[in-house]
Amino acid sequence: MRFIGVAVDKLIPYPNGNEFEKNFSVESNCIGCGICEKVCPVNNIEIDQKPSFNGNCQQCLACANHCPQKAIRLKTEKSKVRYINKNVTLKEIITANN
Ligand code: SF4
Ligand code: SF4
């Protein structure tokens, strides 16, 4: 199965983190709360009033899904619906990252 995954990775060009995060936009309703920074598993976000991305995005979308303002958006997204796993608390995610 791993072989299939590797083959698919080679066939389908997937943007690296730097390219992927160029798809993010941060809306003006960002309140600078820092939740996105805390849920990012690779410390790819820094907050200076609003988030900036440091070129190592792993495309998990935790930042977008956990923003209380829905301020982080993919430029290509068609819906503001966000997914949060109700079995995992925000505190548990933040604790796991630190
Ligand atoms: S979680 Fe949302 S509101 Fe909070 S700092 Fe990040 S983008 Fe702004
Ligand atoms: S998508 Fe995931 S890895 Fe990328 S910046 Fe957001 S939380 Fe970090």
Side-chain angles (χ1 to χ4, degrees):
M1 293 303 279
R2 179 169 156 65
F3 167 77
I4 294 172
V6 171
V8 168
D9 282 349
K10 288 194 184 304
L11 286 171
I12 302 173
Y14 219 66
N16 63 32
N18 200 5
E19 288 302 309
F20 185 81
E21 67 192 40
K22 287 179 186 169
N23 290 318
F24 285 135
S25 66
V26 180
E27 307 281 292
S28 59
N29 62 340
C30 168
I31 54 175
C33 67
I35 288 175
C36 53
E37 180 183 37
K38 291 176 185 158
V39 298
C40 178
V42 291
N43 293 319
N44 190 45
I45 298 176
E46 283 177 31
I47 304 289
D48 180 12
Q49 297 188 328
K50 69 179 205 174
S52 60
F53 302 91
N54 292 331
N56 186 33
C57 178
Q58 301 301 303
Q59 310 175 24
C60 71
L61 294 176
C63 54
N65 283 316
H66 287 278
C67 172
Q69 297 291 101
K70 299 184 181 177
I72 299 178
R73 307 197 61 192
L74 278 172
K75 290 174 184 167
T76 53
E77 78 179 32
K78 295 187 170 58
S79 164
K80 276 200 167 187
V81 171
R82 295 293 184 264
Y83 174 75
I84 290 181
N85 185 339
K86 297 202 183 320
N87 297 309
V88 183
T89 67
L90 183 59
K91 187 171 181 223
E92 286 172 325
I93 295 170
I94 292 170
T95 300
N97 283 346
N98 293 288

